[in-house]
Amino acid sequence: MWVKKIILVIVMFVVVSACLYLATLHWIAPAATPTAEPTSVRSMAPDFTLTSLSGDTISMKDLRGKVVLLNFWATWCGPCRMEIPGLVQLQSRYGARGLRVIGMDEISEDNANAVRRFYREFQLNYPVVLASDSVGNLYGGITGTPTSILIGRDGRIYAEYVGLVNEQVFARAIRNLLAEGPNG
């Protein structure tokens, strides 16, 4: 009888180990290794107009002259939760120099109350909008969260990051774009 229990424990251990391996392979590892895709032809960032949680109007045309980091995320997304404290730090550090982080919550997944609770819990210091899929589609479609799009002062897209990105990776790219003039 105890032999059957030992075999059952071993089988359960193997199954759990295999599940953890697959989760790491397909969820954690891709989130930890972002794909930064600098665009060779720097296209203009599509315009949109949305209302932030605080009631302010956010539009790309009004952000011209600023370096903008659009961050598409969701409250339930683990890698998003890991990335957001770094975005808060970046906004604190570079906001006075012209950085604007804009949180783009995927409204199809969250409701406004969940986003407001998340906003307070993480003490976000940048505006958050409830973005529809149509906004993501303007930017080529959001294939996963988090996805961040870095836009220069000239209104052109300079990079897209899919997955969890280290704050230092963002900081380096942001510093370069802040150093450039409004015409790139």
Side-chain angles (χ1 to χ4, degrees):
M1 185 68 169
W2 61 274
V3 173
K4 288 182 180 180
K5 287 182 181 180
I6 291 175
I7 291 173
L8 180 63
V9 168
I10 291 171
V11 168
M12 287 178 57
F13 176 77
V14 169
V15 169
V16 169
S17 297
C19 288
L20 289 174
Y21 171 76
L22 291 173
T24 301
L25 184 66
H26 295 288
W27 184 69
I28 297 169
T33 55
T35 56
E37 301 173 5
T39 53
S40 56
V41 177
R42 295 187 173 126
S43 60
M44 292 299 291
D47 193 24
F48 61 82
T49 301
L50 295 169
T51 303
S52 72
L53 291 178
S54 62
D56 297 327
T57 300
I58 307 285
S59 88
M60 279 309 302
K61 69 178 180 187
D62 293 340
L63 293 168
R64 185 71 57 88
K66 307 286 184 191
V67 172
V68 178
L69 184 64
L70 298 179
N71 180 252
F72 291 84
W73 58 277
T75 60
W76 51 264
C77 167
C80 301
R81 290 172 167 266
M82 294 167 51
E83 184 175 75
I84 284 176
L87 299 178
V88 169
Q89 290 296 320
L90 290 168
Q91 182 61 51
S92 293
R93 190 175 312 130
Y94 299 110
R97 292 178 50 196
L99 172 67
R100 294 297 176 263
V101 176
I102 310 290
M104 309 288 282
D105 180 77
E106 293 286 337
I107 195 169
S108 61
E109 302 293 334
D110 292 325
N111 65 50
N113 290 331
V115 176
R116 283 186 182 89
R117 282 191 303 273
F118 187 92
Y119 188 90
R120 287 188 301 270
E121 177 186 345
F122 282 82
Q123 301 176 359
L124 301 183
N125 59 352
Y126 53 85
V128 170
V129 299
L130 300 176
S132 65
D133 287 338
S134 62
V135 175
N137 291 339
L138 288 173
Y139 287 87
I142 304 304
T143 59
T145 52
T147 291
S148 298
I149 298 170
L150 187 59
I151 301 164
R153 293 180 188 269
D154 60 358
R156 296 185 182 281
I157 297 173
Y158 281 78
E160 177 180 357
Y161 305 87
V162 178
L164 176 64
V165 176
N166 183 291
E167 178 184 347
Q168 284 74 31
V169 172
F170 281 140
R172 186 172 29 257
I174 289 167
R175 281 192 306 269
N176 289 339
L177 288 173
L178 287 172
E180 292 182 8
N183 295 322

